Amino acid sequence: MNITKNKSIGKEIDLGLNYYQKEDQVLIATDCIIFGFNGQNLKILLIKRNFEPEIGKWSLIGGFLSKDENLDEAAARVLKTLTGLNDIYMEQLYVHSNIDRDPGQRTISVSYYALIDVESHNYEGIQVESAKWFDLKKAPKLIFDHDEMVKKAVLRLRRRALTKPIGFDLLPEKFSMKQLQNLYESILDKKIDKRNFINKINSLDVLNKLNEKDMTSSKKGSYLFQFDRKKYEKKVIEGFNFKI
Amino acid sequence: MNITKNKSIGKEIDLGLNYYQKEDQVLIATDCIIFGFNGQNLKILLIKRNFEPEIGKWSLIGGFLSKDENLDEAAARVLKTLTGLNDIYMEQLYVHSNIDRDPGQRTISVSYYALIDVESHNYEGIQVESAKWFDLKKAPKLIFDHDEMVKKAVLRLRRRALTKPIGFDLLPEKFSMKQLQNLYESILDKKIDKRNFINKINSLDVLNKLNEKDMTSSKKGSYLFQFDRKKYEKKVIEGFNFKI
DNA sequence: CCAAAAGTGTTTCCCATACACCCATGT
DNA sequence: ACATGGGTGTATGGGAAACACTTTTGG
């Protein structure tokens, strides 16, 4: 068998010349799973569609890839459009490509996920009125295959939390140990023993304890912590094993 | 700000009507990183391009997505075209989308990786003369961003080997413990203590020891093993922690 | 008899887990 | 005084890591 007779590879041979070029071109979308945290629960940012198809239903935010950008840039642009923010941590997740996933037309979507602190970006940041934070556990059903995207994102976030530190993007600059534990419990969807959690976090050595207390949560007040950026990023690179 | 004024989302509103549809459509390719194992070293299957651009250089096998299939199907078709085989384990890896990644035209490529046993598919399977197995460590420089794809695939395979059993697809049906250890050492790129490895594998309980020996490797001969499909697949689902 | 690969157990150490009481403060 | 959430340490068990000698047999 000669390679030039093969359809899948043959196309490339005729590059720039034949009908395949036009015929098989498709639209590329990117959809963003935006996770947030408010100190208590893991949240997800959704948008109510005010256009067809599926008008009135909830969906991830998304947009199409333009000729002049790569996917990372497209995802960042879409995120900026909605939240007004640059420099958000984003990671490519998965490509969804089923033929009829979008009933309107053949579209392939690359999902990205982002992590942000809800409080810092609630009113100033979110510029689209139809966008709303939902508790992850109480989120409505989404259009197309967006629920599947979210499911994959949750799994990825969970795995990430078990191998790299999480929180820099999801927590305010100063936070209590309890908030950090709430974050981990939300992501892993399980209760963690308080002492074991603190021991583990301390052994990671990525936090600086401040001489400041958060007095809103209790009468005694709870010490606030900060991530030590250098130590944190070192752990992001080398990773660890968070068995908890 | 109204969402309908937003570029990234606005496009969707005009669905089926405006120039964006044609303008921003692009070609979707899929490239396959095909890992093989011969009992000694981890291999990768490459193809020498006999067409432009980059004629004569080595590349991953790939092809374009058609209108009538999703990406998994496209990757399986491309693989079948080259190796003649169905039912190969494949996994989606990553999307590469830089604007100029393919100098010929704007193309976005979704990489997949596959695992196969080199011996079983060497002569019967590989039907393209210009395809060749390379030792992963001695592979030539590849075209475009294919080296980056391979790098990501190796990392993924490594992570997989640490959390799920590996070998069903990469080893012949019957294999020696030494071969399995060679496989792990190739993937993890480190020496493993023989006794610790055997203890670990035995504790996983996914192998059946046969009453057969491979007499080619030594005078004494080494016992052959088989994967117990059910136990193996159970471990694939539940995962484990292979610290080695 | 010797070279070459196969096969086999034990000890040590670290880390994950389980677990309960006192502290500080505002009301 | 008491209710509420904050903060702290230890004992146990299991799994990873380090480690060396005997067995088999073809040449």
Side-chain angles (χ1 to χ4, degrees), chain A residues 18-40:
Chain A
N18 75 352
Y19 69 95
Y20 267 120
Q21 288 242 316
K22 298 287 177 205
E23 185 70 13
D24 287 335
Q25 286 187 356
V26 296
L27 273 179
I28 309 293
T30 175
D31 288 299
C32 300
I33 298 100
I34 303 173
F35 289 116
F37 188 65
N38 66 350
Q40 296 288 333

Side-chain angles (χ1 to χ4, degrees), chain A residues 158-194:
Chain A
R158 195 167 291 168
R159 203 181 57 214
R160 193 185 155 79
L162 293 172
T163 54
K164 296 172 190 298
I166 290 259
F168 216 113
D169 311 289
L170 284 162
L171 288 166
E173 196 185 347
K174 300 172 182 180
F175 53 88
S176 69
M177 200 55 96
K178 177 69 174 169
Q179 287 177 309
L180 184 58
Q181 184 174 343
N182 284 342
L183 173 60
Y184 268 87
E185 290 185 341
S186 298
I187 292 174
L188 302 179
D189 195 27
K190 68 190 270 195
K191 283 284 162 209
I192 302 172
D193 178 86
K194 183 170 48 167

Side-chain angles (χ1 to χ4, degrees), chain A residues 1-4 6-9 11-13 15-16 20-28 47-53 61-73 77-78 81-82 92-99 102 104-106 108 110 112 127-130 143-144 156 159 241 243, chain B residues 1-4 6-9 11-13 15-16 20-28 47-53 61-73 77-78 81-82 92-99 102 104-106 108 110 112 127-130 143-144 156 159 241 243:
Chain A
M1 184 173 91
N2 189 304
I3 186 175
T4 58
N6 179 270
K7 183 189 178 194
S8 68
I9 301 170
K11 277 190 260 182
E12 211 166 336
I13 300 167
L15 199 146
Y20 267 120
Q21 288 242 316
K22 298 287 177 205
E23 185 70 13
D24 287 335
Q25 286 187 356
V26 296
L27 273 179
I28 309 293
I47 196 171
K48 190 178 230 167
R49 283 168 75 96
N50 56 2
F51 48 88
E52 291 292 350
I61 61 158
F64 290 103
L65 176 74
S66 301
K67 289 267 187 205
D68 57 355
E69 62 186 359
N70 66 24
L71 280 163
D72 289 358
E73 291 160 354
R77 173 175 55 76
V78 167
T81 300
L82 187 73
Q92 191 193 104
L93 260 184
Y94 199 75
V95 192
H96 294 259
S97 62
N98 278 345
I99 298 175
D102 181 334
Q105 65 191 315
R106 181 76 196 270
I108 286 173
V110 182
Y112 275 76
Q127 297 167 352
V128 179
E129 310 100 32
S130 52
I143 62 161
F144 303 169
R156 175 77 66 99
R159 203 181 57 214
N241 207 319
K243 266 196 192 169
Chain B
M1 184 174 90
N2 190 305
I3 186 178
T4 57
N6 178 271
K7 182 190 178 196
S8 70
I9 301 171
K11 277 190 260 181
E12 211 167 333
I13 300 169
L15 199 146
Y20 267 119
Q21 288 242 315
K22 298 291 177 203
E23 185 68 14
D24 286 336
Q25 286 188 357
V26 296
L27 273 180
I28 307 294
I47 195 170
K48 191 176 230 168
R49 283 168 75 98
N50 57 1
F51 47 88
E52 291 293 350
I61 61 159
F64 290 103
L65 177 73
S66 302
K67 288 269 190 205
D68 58 355
E69 63 187 357
N70 66 25
L71 280 162
D72 288 357
E73 290 160 353
R77 172 173 57 75
V78 167
T81 299
L82 187 73
Q92 191 194 103
L93 260 184
Y94 200 75
V95 192
H96 294 259
S97 62
N98 278 344
I99 297 175
D102 181 333
Q105 67 190 315
R106 181 76 196 269
I108 285 172
V110 182
Y112 275 75
Q127 297 168 354
V128 179
E129 311 97 34
S130 52
I143 61 162
F144 304 168
R156 175 78 66 99
R159 203 181 59 216
N241 205 319
K243 266 196 193 168

